[in-house]
């Protein structure tokens, strides 16, 4: 299963689809979570679930509220490959 | 009696270790089915084996995934009980635009979102790279349940979160009664919930030395109110909800009353943080009868606070004797904590439900697990012939809290 497919599964399990998409049962992969009605509290809880599911630590400074599921998948693949540079200033 | 309108209960709901709805709960009470179980504890952390009465809740039952992610069990149990109460009352959820501003939520809890707080502290102190959930504050604060219920119900009238330890829910319901009499709302959803079976919280209770050790052969009988060998209280989880309505609102919409919420009395001991006091309890019992404008002879059943602590039970027996007499002519008395455990801040609601069912069905809940009962007037022991006292049309639920606050509620037949 690809990273994106696993993320879609997690979104379906943990997040509420907006009413206009509920009939489709499908999580769009290219729309920001914020735009889909996911508030900042649920956003961070979802990030924790992703960390647990993929065994990665997602640095807060790379998170943006406008991220969509495809961008999460790319980020997680980069983290797993050790390709994300993080660090605190100073 | 206080002035103002009469107030009726038109819907009830419950979640507990002995039932996830009112019929299942009441069947357990009548059959004497205990929800208490033994848990191993954690020797490495000094958490001794304990007895507890856990309730069940699953994410699939909740109205949204956001609620599952963002709330503690205490709010979830609360909502699941409120949903039942609203359905029985026949009221729309959420409230419509006109009803909303006249609808309130009064909710009691002793420790609020204790589970979220416990896991947050565990993460902060115990993890190498602590991840602290941004919902920790709004899920654990004492008014989290009241707030969540208000949101889910769309109730835009008064909201009150009561935290007075084991009297929390009783006080929430009593204050709702007075608010409705005073015309501050037409409908108030009142009750309480508690969910404190988190390791750190249980360890704190063990430190206080008031918990019963699990009985080796029969852990389900570990809570023994009014028994000579009682060893202490057993923590339970649960929630119970009541839809309270002013008489005019209920009549206007053609609703069906279950019982009248007739009286509320309260007092403070002003003596000690954890030792109960006869004078304080008697004052609350008498105040409740006065508020309901009834004599003691009108009471058919008392759901006692009856925690099964060595100190508490004899004090309550004496208080009841002073108000209702020590002979065999008074109301039946029992503590249903033997079955559902001590649900702390929810106890006043869970046990008011027992009193409500007793009154409606004229069936006295028995006091289980007291093999050698201490002297208590008319203790409803298993095996005794129980009949509803002639001329009685009322029932009482008593709640007496750490901190020295006493709250007593009176129910009367809906006529």
């Amino acid at each position: 299963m690809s990273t994106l497919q696993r993320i879609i599964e997690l979104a379906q399990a943990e997040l509420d689809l907006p009413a206009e998409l509920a009939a489709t049962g499908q999580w769009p992969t290219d729309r920001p979570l914020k735009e889909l009605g996911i508030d900042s509290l649920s956003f961070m809880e979802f990030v924790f679930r992703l960390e647990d599911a993929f065994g990665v630590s997602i640095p807060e400074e790379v998170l943006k509220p406008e991220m969509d599921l495809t961008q999460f998948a790319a980020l997680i693949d980069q983290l797993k490959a050790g390709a994300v540079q993080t660090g605190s200033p100073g | 009696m206080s002035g103002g309108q009469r107030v009726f209960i038109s819907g009830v709901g419950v979640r507990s270790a002995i039932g996830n709805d009112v019929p299942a709960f009441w069947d357990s009470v009548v059959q004497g089915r205990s929800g208490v179980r033994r848990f191993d504890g954690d020797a490495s952390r000094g958490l001794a084996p304990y007895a507890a009465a856990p309730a069940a809740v699953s994410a699939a039952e909740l109205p949204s995934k956001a609620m599952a992610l963002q709330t503690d069990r205490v709010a979830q149990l609360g909502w699941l009980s409120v949903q039942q109460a609203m359905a029985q009352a026949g009221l729309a959820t959420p409230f419509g635009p006109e009803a909303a501003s006249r609808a309130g939520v009064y909710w009691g809890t002793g420790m609020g979102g204790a589970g979220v707080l416990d896991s947050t502290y565990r993460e902060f102190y115990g993890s190498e790279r602590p991840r602290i959930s941004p919902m920790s504050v709004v899920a654990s604060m004492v008014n989290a349940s009241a707030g969540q219920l208000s949101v889910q119900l769309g109730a835009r009238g008064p909201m009150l979160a009561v935290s007075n330890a084991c009297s929390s829910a009783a006080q929430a319901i009593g204050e709702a009664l007075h608010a409705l009499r005073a015309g501050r709302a037409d409908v108030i959803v009142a009750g309480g919930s508690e969910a404190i079976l988190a390791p750190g919280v249980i360890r704190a209770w063990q430190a206080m030395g008031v918990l019963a050790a699990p009985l080796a052969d029969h852990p389900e009988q570990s809570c023994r109110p009014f028994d000579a060998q009682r060893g202490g209280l057993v923590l339970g989880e649960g929630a119970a909800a009541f839809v309270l309505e002013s008489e005019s609102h209920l009549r206007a919409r053609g609703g069906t009353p279950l019982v009248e919420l007739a009286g509320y009395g309260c007092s403070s001991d002003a003596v000690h943080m954890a030792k109960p006091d006869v004078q304080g309890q008697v004052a609350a019992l008498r105040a409740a009868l006065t508020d309901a404008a009834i004599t003691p002879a009108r009471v058919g059943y008392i759901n006692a606070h009856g925690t099964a602590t060595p100190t508490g039970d004899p004090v309550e027996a004496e208080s009841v004797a002073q108000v209702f007499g020590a002979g065999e002519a008074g109301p039946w008395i029992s503590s249903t904590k033997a079955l559902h455990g001590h649900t702390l801040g929810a106890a006043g609601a869970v046990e008011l439900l027992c009193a409500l069912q007793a009154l409606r069905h004229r069936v006295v809940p028995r006091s289980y697990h007291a093999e050698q009962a201490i002297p208590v007037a008319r203790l409803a022991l298993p095996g005794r012939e129980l009949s509803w006292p002639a001329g009685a049309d009322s029932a009482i639920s008593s709640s007496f809290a750490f901190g020295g606050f006493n709250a007593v509620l009176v129910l009367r037949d809906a006529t």
Side-chain angles (χ1 to χ4, degrees):
Chain A
M1 184 187 294
S2 75
T3 302
L4 182 59
Q5 280 174 316
R6 177 82 182 105
I7 289 176
I8 292 169
E9 276 188 4
L10 284 167
Q12 274 164 348
E14 305 281 354
L15 302 175
D16 296 304
L17 261 178
E20 70 268 21
L21 295 173
T24 70
Q26 293 291 315
W27 267 90
T29 55
D30 56 353
R31 289 179 62 187
L33 292 183
K34 190 178 178 183
E35 192 185 300
L36 295 170
I38 304 306
D39 66 21
S40 59
L41 300 180
S42 285
F43 181 84
M44 279 311 297
E45 288 296 330
F46 184 60
V47 169
F48 292 169
R49 298 296 190 281
L50 294 178
E51 289 185 328
D52 294 340
F54 292 101
V56 296
S57 174
I58 303 177
E60 271 187 49
E61 57 266 30
V62 303
L63 288 171
K64 298 178 194 70
E66 57 271 18
M67 284 176 78
D68 60 31
L69 296 188
T70 305
Q71 288 166 328
F72 268 115
L75 174 62
I76 284 165
D77 284 338
Q78 287 172 11
L79 284 165
K80 288 171 83 172
V84 175
Q85 294 296 317
T86 64
S88 49
Chain B
M1 184 170 77
S2 300
Q5 291 207 49
R6 295 167 78 196
V7 172
F8 292 92
I9 295 173
S10 57
V12 294
V14 70
R15 296 289 293 212
S16 80
I18 59 168
N20 288 332
D21 56 32
V22 174
F25 174 86
W26 181 238
D27 189 57
S28 294
V29 169
V30 171
Q31 302 296 331
R33 213 161 29 240
S34 169
V36 174
R37 290 161 29 205
R38 182 191 188 279
F39 294 84
D40 288 338
D42 180 356
S44 73
R45 312 296 304 166
L47 183 67
Y50 58 92
V57 56
S58 76
E61 297 176 280
L62 301 173
S64 69
K65 289 170 179 141
M67 190 175 186
L69 271 183
Q70 295 183 8
T71 60
D72 185 274
R73 285 169 68 79
V74 72
Q76 296 170 8
L77 288 167
W79 169 248
L80 293 169
S81 70
V82 164
Q83 230 178 358
Q84 297 168 25
M86 290 291 285
Q88 183 176 30
L91 290 170
T93 307
F95 285 102
E98 280 182 31
S101 65
R102 299 285 300 161
V105 174
Y106 280 38
W107 203 255
T109 182
M111 299 185 78
V116 164
L117 207 54
D118 185 71
S119 57
T120 300
Y121 289 163
R122 183 170 49 206
E123 177 77 11
F124 181 70
Y125 292 116
S127 169
E128 261 182 43
R129 178 183 163 269
R131 292 183 317 186
I132 304 302
S133 163
M135 45 67 86
S136 303
V137 171
V138 291
S140 66
M141 60 194 191
V142 167
N143 64 328
S145 296
Q148 272 293 336
L149 296 176
S150 163
V151 170
Q152 299 297 333
L153 290 169
R156 296 173 179 272
M159 187 205 295
L160 182 67
V162 176
S163 189
N164 237 335
C166 309
S167 300
S168 301
Q171 187 177 14
I173 295 163
E175 293 301 327
L177 166 65
H178 286 203
L180 288 162
R181 280 179 181 165
R184 292 207 290 275
D186 294 330
V187 180
I188 295 180
V189 175
S193 49
E194 200 76 85
I196 54 140
L197 298 182
V201 181
I202 296 165
R203 181 63 188 86
W205 279 89
Q206 287 182 346
M208 199 178 175
V210 294
L211 299 188
L215 288 189
D217 294 338
H218 291 286
E220 75 282 2
Q221 296 178 18
S222 300
C223 182
R224 311 172 77 82
F226 302 114
D227 183 55
Q229 303 299 318
R230 67 197 178 281
L233 62 89
V234 168
L235 296 172
E237 287 183 317
F242 300 82
V243 174
L244 312 181
E245 289 186 65
S246 65
E247 182 170 25
S248 59
H249 185 268
L250 184 77
R251 304 281 182 225
R253 75 178 184 89
T256 306
L258 300 174
V259 294
E260 180 181 0
L261 179 58
Y264 166 58
C266 66
S267 71
S268 298
D269 296 337
V271 172
H272 190 274
M273 286 301 285
K275 277 188 197 148
D277 178 63
V278 171
Q279 194 184 342
Q281 294 181 4
V282 166
L285 285 162
R286 290 204 168 122
L289 295 176
T290 302
D291 192 46
I294 60 169
T295 58
R298 297 266 296 275
V299 179
Y301 169 67
I302 298 175
N303 188 293
H305 191 56
T307 56
T309 57
T311 310
D313 290 4
V315 169
E316 184 169 12
E318 171 62 22
S319 304
V320 171
Q322 285 196 14
V323 177
F324 294 92
E328 282 292 302
W332 291 106
I333 297 162
S334 69
S335 168
T336 48
K337 285 187 175 75
L339 308 176
H340 50 65
H342 192 348
T343 58
L344 304 179
V350 171
E351 293 162 24
L352 184 69
L353 176 57
C354 293
L356 182 149
Q357 292 289 95
L359 181 63
R360 276 174 62 75
H361 299 289
R362 297 296 200 254
V363 169
V364 177
R366 295 179 187 274
S367 216
Y368 284 92
H369 312 151
E371 287 176 7
Q372 287 183 298
I374 61 169
V376 182
R378 276 206 137 183
L379 189 61
L381 290 167
R384 286 192 74 166
E385 186 75 27
L386 302 180
S387 60
W388 189 260
D393 65 354
S394 303
I396 275 182
S397 175
S398 295
S399 301
F400 307 132
F402 283 166
F405 181 74
N406 310 299
V408 176
L409 296 165
V410 182
L411 301 176
R412 184 161 52 214
D413 288 340
T415 51

